[in-house]
Amino acid sequence: MGISTQTMNKSDIKLIAVLERTGGFASAQELHQILRREGDGIGLTTVYRALQSLVDDKIVDLLRREDGEAIYRLCGDTHHHHLVCKSCGDTVEIEGGAIEKWAKTMAEEFGFRDVGHTAEIFGICSKC
Amino acid sequence: MGISTQTMNKSDIKLIAVLERTGGFASAQELHQILRREGDGIGLTTVYRALQSLVDDKIVDLLRREDGEAIYRLCGDTHHHHLVCKSCGDTVEIEGGAIEKWAKTMAEEFGFRDVGHTAEIFGICSKC
DNA sequence: TCACAAAATGAAAATGATTATCATTTCCAA
DNA sequence: TTGGAAATGATAATCATTTTCATTTTGTGA
């Protein structure tokens, strides 16, 4: 019972590999382009299908970018947050230990379970 | 300078009124349908435009449903974060003291100025 | 090895939210 | 009143995602 690892196929594995390589945080379209660029002729449909089944099997997390586009990352990855420059677009990956605790505490306080969170900081970097 | 309340027009006010009346969150499409049902011939384009300007002016909050659709809600002026139920959409406004500190610390560490941040927690509420 | 059914694949079309265009209407100051 | 700016909304365009469906691959039993 439970997670059906049996149903994993080549496409699923390809997607996991790319997510590992890229640090696990990309949209379906981006993942497709990366695979294409690497010479893999995989179709967009298959990318979507594989990602969906990986999400169903709780192997990858599905989050949303600010514009609503779906982004995926491997579960269990220590996930990081971003510090983004509003001017030049430069991005720094940062730790969010405080956030993890905050999210956990708040979720418990209000009786929520199965929780995730998003957090981003944006500002103007020193170069701009 | 600051928030341009001067630029508020009739459509903006209509949207605020509907959001007040309906309470919780609603998508642009839903808000449009409600207004239409009430006999208002407002166009979808205008609904999107009004919502966007209200978001720019920080009069309404923009969040995302699980499928990525944008949902809007009137927000109080105190800066807060959200705890959103992925299942029923129920939302709790929560304090983010830890986040404010985290954002400030990180921004300083990397030399960013004029910083803001976003942070949301999502999960399954006790009722679901 | 062969045949064949089930699973996987991907091109192309469909969908649905959101945004861009643009001609028309409303509003307001001179 | 009038001229121009702002607002409006129908329509078309975008873009991510899903469906459809015909084709290919795969695995398995004979």
Side-chain angles (χ1 to χ4, degrees), chain A residues 62-69 81-86 90 92-99 102-104 106-107 110-128, chain B residues 62 64-69 81-86 90-99 102-104 106-107 110-128:
Chain A
L62 187 166
L63 293 183
R64 294 276 165 190
R65 271 214 255 269
E66 225 179 320
D67 68 351
E69 190 177 1
H81 298 275
H82 294 121
L83 181 50
V84 185
C85 178
K86 286 188 281 194
D90 244 18
V92 185
E93 287 186 5
I94 53 181
E95 282 298 312
I99 308 302
W102 170 73
K104 206 174 161 216
M106 286 299 172
F110 290 94
F112 277 56
R113 58 203 152 78
D114 195 12
V115 295
H117 65 269
T118 62
E120 310 285 344
I121 308 177
F122 42 91
I124 309 289
C125 78
S126 51
K127 279 177 297 186
C128 298
Chain B
L62 186 167
R64 295 275 164 190
R65 273 212 256 268
E66 225 181 321
D67 67 351
E69 189 178 2
H81 297 276
H82 293 122
L83 181 50
V84 185
C85 179
K86 288 189 279 194
D90 243 19
T91 301
V92 184
E93 286 188 4
I94 53 180
E95 282 299 312
I99 308 303
W102 171 74
K104 205 174 162 215
M106 286 299 173
F110 290 94
F112 277 57
R113 59 202 150 79
D114 192 12
V115 293
H117 64 269
T118 63
E120 310 287 343
I121 308 178
F122 42 89
I124 310 289
C125 77
S126 49
K127 280 176 296 185
C128 297

Side-chain angles (χ1 to χ4, degrees), chain B residues 2-14:
Chain B
I3 294 170
S4 51
T5 315
Q6 305 85 38
T7 68
M8 183 107 61
N9 63 22
K10 280 178 185 166
S11 301
D12 294 318
I13 291 170
K14 274 186 203 167

